Every structure is written in C-alpha cells, then in structure tokens.
Amino acid sequence: MQTVEQKELIKGGEFLIKDVNSAQIFIQEEFTEEQAMMAQACLDFLNKEIEPRLEEIDQAKSPELMRNLVKKAGELGLLATAVPAEYEGLGMSFNTSMLLADYVGMAHSFAVAFSAHTGIGTLPIVYYGNEEQKRKYLPKLASGEWISCYCLTEPDSGSDANSGKTRATLSAEGKHYIINGQKMWITNAGFADIFIVFAKIDDDKNLSAFIVEKGFGGITMNEPEKKLGIKGSDTRQVFFNDCHVPVENLLSERGNGFKIAVNILNIGRIKLAASCNGAAKKALEHSVRYAKERKQFNTAIANFGAIKEKIAKQATLIFVNESAYYRAGQNIDDCIEAFIANGMPEAEAKLKAFEQFAIECAIMKVFGSETLDYCVDEAVQIFGGMGYSAEAPVERCYRDSRINRIFEGTNEINRMLCVGTIVKRAMKGELNLMPAIMEVQKELMSGGGDLRFDNSFMSYEKAVLKNLKKATLMTAGAAVQKFTTNLQNEQEVMLNLADMLIQVYTLESAILRLEKLASIRGQASVAIQADMVRSFLLEAADTVYISGKNAINAFAEGEMHKALMGSLRKLSRTEAYNAKEARRRIADFILEQGKYPF
Amino acid sequence: MKILVCIAHVPDTTSKISFVENNRKLDKNGLQFVIGPYDDFALARAVELRDQTGGKLTVLNVGTAETEPTIRKALAIGADNAIRVNAEPTDAYFVAYQIAEVAKKENFDLILMGRESSDYNGGQVHGMVGELLGIPSVSPVMKLDLNGNVATLAREIEGGKEYLEISLPFVAGCQEPIAEWKIPNMKGIMASRTKPLKVVEPVPVEMLTESITHELPPAKGACKMIPADEVEKLVELLKTEAKVL
C-alpha cells in the first residue's frame, strides 16, 4: 500500500532560519485545469465588461455604473469565492481567490471596488459573524445583491487605527447601539448597502465592530473624493449621526474590533500583492506593444538595450512577486487544513493561519505594491512624452498604482510590522531566532561565511541565498543586542531590516519555483526563468548589502562596526555574472511573446 | 427536447500559427485552444433554448483527449453532458460522419454548430450532417426561435436577411447575433467536473481528402511613408520598388 506522505507544515517567519525544499512549495504552474478555467472566465469578464468602459468608470458620473459592474461580477460567482458553500458561496481555497485577484488586478478602479467588497467588506462577517449574521448577510454579499464597505479610517485615525473617535452607546431600552462619528476614505460608500463600522463602545480602550445596514438611518456622506488615481473608485467621507444599530449586529465581542481590523487587513495585504501583479502585467504589456511600435533613429525602440533592460526588469519583478505570494498562499491553505484537521472550527482556523503568516503577508504587500510602482514608472518612461499624455493607457496605470503603497497599511507600517513580529515571536520562543543568530555569530568568528557551492543546478544561487539569510540574522541580532526592546523606536533600522527580509523571502521563493519547475519540465525549458532568477539575485544581494550597511552604520562604531561590515561584505558576495546579457535574453523573449507569458 | 451542439477545438484567434513536419501539421506547442467562436454562439443559444424548453443539452466534439478542457468549458457554460469521439478530426466528411453516427442513436430534435470552424473554415460539416441524417440543414443562422415543433430562423444572405420556418429536427450552422456568447460562471465550472463526459470510439470512414501542406501568408513588409506633396516620388516607388504599376 502506498503511504501518503504528510506534508511538513511550515510556520510563518521560519523561512529566515530554515532551508525549504522546492518540493514543499506550490508554484502557479501547478494550478489545475479548473482553476485555469476560472481565471480565464474572469479575464473574459474583464475584457468584455470592464476594459471597454475604463474611461466611463473613471468619469464616475454615477455610482450606479460601478454598482452594476460589481453585481455583474457577482452573477458569475466572482464575489463568492471566499464565502463558505453553506452560505451560498463557493468556499474556494485561498490560493484560488488569489489567482482571481491577480486577474482582477488589471481592472483599475473596478479592481479596488471589487477587492473592497469581497475582502474587507465581506470577510469580517465570514470570519467573525455569528450564525444568524452569516445567514442574513453572506448570501446577498456573495451574489452582489448587497454591496459592502469597510469603515475604519477617520480624519485623525489612520495608521493608528485604534485611536478612532467614533462612539457607540447603548440606547436606554438596551436594544440598540447608537453610533456617532465620522469615517473617511471609505471605498464603495456611495452605493453600499452594508457598512462594517468600527467604533468604541462608551469609553472602551479597544474598538468594537458593527454590521450596519444603510436602512438603519442616520448615515450621510459627502460627495466622492477627488483623487490622484483610481478615480472611478467611489471613495467618500461617511458620517454617522445617531445611527441606531440593533444590538444583535455587534460583530464578534465587545472590544474585539481592533483584532478584527488587523486580521482582515492581514488577508487583504497578501491579496494586494496578487492584484498588483495583474496590474503590473498589464503595464508590461503596454510597454512591450509600444516599444515594438515606436520607431526612433530608424528602428523600433524595443531594439535598444536601455529599453530592453526596463522590460526585463519589469518581467523579472513580476515573476519573483508571483513566486512568493503563491508560495505563501499555499502555506496558508495548508495551515488552515491542518488546523481544521486538529478540530478547530473553520473560521477560526483561517484566522489563525493568516495570523501565523502575518510576516509573509506584510512582506508581500510591500513587495507587490513596489513591483507595480516600478513597472508603471518604467512603462511611462518607455512611452516617453506620450506616456505623460492622458491619452496613453500607461498614464492611468501610473496614477492608479500609487495608492497601493498607502492603503491596507502603509508600506512603512508593513515593513515595521514584519520585523516587529519576527522579534516578538523570537522573544516568546515561537521562532528559534536566537539560536540561529548565535550560530551565525559563532561561524563568523571562526572565519566562516564563504560561499560554498558545486556545479549542480541552483547550488550557487542557494549558497548566495543562505549567506543573505545569515547577513540578515547577523544584522538583526546586532540591532536587537544594541537596542533591546527599544528597537521598535528605531524605525529607520527597522525599515533596513525589513528590506533585508523582503529580499531573502522573495529571492528564495523565485529560486524554489525555478528549481521545482526545472524538475518538472527540464532545465532546458526554463532558461528564461533562470535568467530572471539570476539577475534578480544580483540585485537582491546588493539590496541586502546596502540595507545592512545603513543599519550597521546607525548603531555600530569602532571595532564592532569594522567586524560587522567585514562580515556583511563577505555574506553578500556574488560571483561574476553578466546580467546585461541575461536581461537582453529576457526582454527578447518577452518582446516576441508580446506580453508576460509565464 | 434533445439538443446537440457540436464544438470544434481550435487555436485561440490571437494565436501565432506555425507548422511542423514540412508544413504538414500545425505546431500545437504553446498554443491556447478554445471552443470555435461560431460554435460558442451556437452553444449560448442552445443553453437558452434548453432552459426555455426544459430539455437536455449534449455537447459533442470529435477529437483526441487533449480537447477535454475545451469540452469541459462547454459543460461549464451549461451543457448537461458531453460526448467525445476519440479521433483526430482529419476532414469535414470524417467529422460529419462521426457526428451523424452518434446522432442516429440519440434522436436529437435540434443539432446546432457554428457556421464554420475558425481553424480550417470549411463550413461544410452542418450540411453533410443534415445529408447523412436525411434532415434539413440551414446556414448561416443568426436568429433561432422555437414554437413547439416549428422553428423560425433568420439567415444572412447577400445584402439582407431571409426568414424561414422549419420543422424539427434539423441542423443549423450558427453565427452571431443568435445569442450573446456566455462566460462560464464559477458554479458552472465547479459543476463541470462531475457532469458526464462519455468517450466513444470512431467508426471507420473512407478518407476522401488529405492535407498535403500549408502556407502562411507572406510577412508584412516594412511600411514606407511618403509625404502627401510628393506624389511623383510615390508613383516612382510604386513602379520601381513595389513594381505594381
């Protein structure tokens, strides 16, 4: 009898101290025929309903247009992916919903309305609603009959979300909470039926969350905000004036709102990396088309090295980004499954799994949004003067990209979050960071840290990766020793450490994807992917070095400084590699294909 | 009401086509395959008619196992069951013969397909199927309404339309705007996994034609722009370079 091999469960944040085998990770090339059909259906919908209306959507003359488009997506089941089947949803795996987010990401303002409804608008009820609340709201949210929005941010409460001033007080008869306050940047507010509202009950320290129906009354709103980008996304200030919410519409327990807010944002973060990738692929496609069409000096500009380099770098970042978020997505799915198998209720299992991978979610939010920003910036550059014209499609790509580094937790908050969480877990003993740091220190003191590799496939790349992990551990260890618990107040150093972590995680994901892909298809058929991994590796090593140097300069002096810098140089060393030629090969391939083909 | 829709498994219309084996065979490497676009319209109308009459909709493809994702897409769009005749579709007669063999056993009231496939564009299969079954066939049908056992059809003809009435059973080669093509919904996609897909072996048929070679259209040459006020230069170039005058 064949024995079923139990998948080794990977813990969040462990990537820094553990070697992962490529057989353990999921790569998108493993999506099933059914998942591919879903993605294609999603793409067909976007091409049919959204793409021809981009201009009309951005003009935002009436909120009804977006509402109808979201509803149409609902008719295809696209809003129901994360809703369990017992509430008329589809109960799909997290990675399937990420695959769809990847496609929807190309849809500009529609993507924002879609994500706000399916993510922060619906998930609080999926994960924290009681049975009655789920029965009442989820079927209608899954079908698009009702549209939802999420009211957390206030004029004086953004990143510091728990400081909101909106108040809920119990009415004299004890049957209602009366909500008063002001919320801002509320996506979908203009046409929403359901408002997930965060407010403090009386003088509570922590927020509570409420499901508020528009019909409850006492809700007014301003005209839509005029924004730099995502102009078609209906974003407004919302005012609650004696809004009477039945007590049974309190979500979860009193005082649980901040936890709900944080956990729901956590899920949104990694999905944002996926939707950014969809948008980045579109920017690359525009870049490729224009570079082939536009002639200067009697030749298509696609023939110039300067343009090829941009196209290759765009494609490479896209490849690395998707390698990492699908890997993390599967880790989350596996973790959910394991928790459920151990008897945990499904909703709780999902929340715990996302919490477990909070570090990876934060990493991906940053890397995904910065990948997109790079891609749109270079797309405008490839278009030259034309790219600055509102008639060029990349102008919209450029404007719409910028918000991604701000919402769902700014990239600064997310960088600090991933470092803070790792340190916290190490202190609690949940992550064996300290022994790993001590081991690196010991190795370095005895003159170790050289690159050790052989001629086998990916041996060199893995050796570099291993050293970059050590460089990160060394720098983080030295910073923790220097600042101890005060590290959180040294934000600049936290940001440096986060950049090291981000490079390590994404580089490892790309290496593992390549290795697994080569084991399936053979090395010869993954030559372009190998070029991408190797050229990214050079940049990752440089970023680790520069970030490490900035951190070390900020806290070390004299002999200590000298020793740390010597080790950092050694650990971030790479062999000679002609990245220019690699990028030309990548660009030539992408230009021939006409779009991102992987 | 039993409806049969025949679908072709064809390269996506935006594919770059190339040939192998001395231009005898299509290079399928890297190509994405779809339901023939005209068949897609036929399928969409068939789903509506099935829903309207409460009948059963079967989808059929003549092809090897690699066409199954395309067949499952048709199931996802709304067909109730599928039949795959396990053979390489070599020419129109072969395909029509296999369809007719299946149809003889099943007694369909209505057999729909695209007016032509988008790979070889022969536009012959519907006519042959009608002939082999001894029932009428009409093409290209752009409107199809049912009233009991009688259908009203609109056909595109040169410069206008022809309306006709026809009794069931019959074969129709369809084109837009017979129905708006449908995107499968997520539930349909999930359900398609469990809908029956029967594989039958082909019946032997005499090979009437054989494809010898293929030729791609010549690559587009570079475009030369001549300023509007230099007509003489244009004429000169048309004579000496393009050699069309």
Side-chain angles (χ1 to χ4, degrees), chain A residues 33-34 37-38 40-42 44-45 48-49 75-78 81 88-90 92 100 292 592-594, chain B residues 12 16 32 34 68-74 76 180-187 189-193:
Chain A
E33 180 196 312
E34 181 181 279
M37 205 194 291
M38 287 173 174
Q40 184 61 44
C42 183
D44 287 343
F45 168 76
K48 189 175 174 185
E49 302 289 351
E75 286 161 15
L76 286 180
L78 293 170
T81 55
E88 297 176 37
L90 299 169
M92 291 177 187
L100 296 178
K292 281 158 84 173
E592 190 198 320
Q593 299 290 316
Chain B
D12 184 66
K16 268 191 213 151
Q32 197 186 348
V34 296
E68 289 198 0
T70 303
I71 299 173
R72 257 189 294 274
K73 184 170 179 195
E180 197 178 339
W181 62 278
K182 291 188 175 5
I183 300 170
N185 66 38
M186 300 298 124
K187 268 194 181 143
I189 293 171
M190 289 163 100
S192 71
R193 229 181 336 182

Side-chain angles (χ1 to χ4, degrees), chain A residues 44-81:
Chain A
D44 287 343
F45 168 76
L46 298 172
N47 284 334
K48 189 175 174 185
E49 302 289 351
I50 309 297
E51 192 66 24
R53 296 193 176 98
L54 286 178
E55 190 51 44
E56 194 188 343
I57 291 171
D58 270 4
Q59 284 170 1
K61 287 191 179 141
S62 149
E64 285 311 299
L65 173 65
M66 186 65 92
R67 188 190 169 97
N68 289 337
L69 291 171
V70 176
K71 195 163 188 305
K72 274 191 176 172
E75 286 161 15
L76 286 180
L78 293 170
L79 308 178
T81 55

Side-chain angles (χ1 to χ4, degrees), chain A residues 428-447:
Chain A
K428 279 191 192 164
E430 291 169 0
L431 201 63
N432 279 333
L433 199 65
M434 289 311 161
I437 290 172
M438 275 148 69
E439 204 175 306
V440 172
Q441 286 170 341
K442 209 169 103 192
E443 186 188 340
L444 291 169
M445 285 208 287
S446 58

Side-chain angles (χ1 to χ4, degrees), chain A residues 26-38:
Chain A
F26 173 82
I27 60 172
Q28 70 195 80
E29 288 79 3
E30 295 175 297
F31 275 124
T32 62
E33 180 196 312
E34 181 181 279
Q35 287 165 315
M37 205 194 291
M38 287 173 174

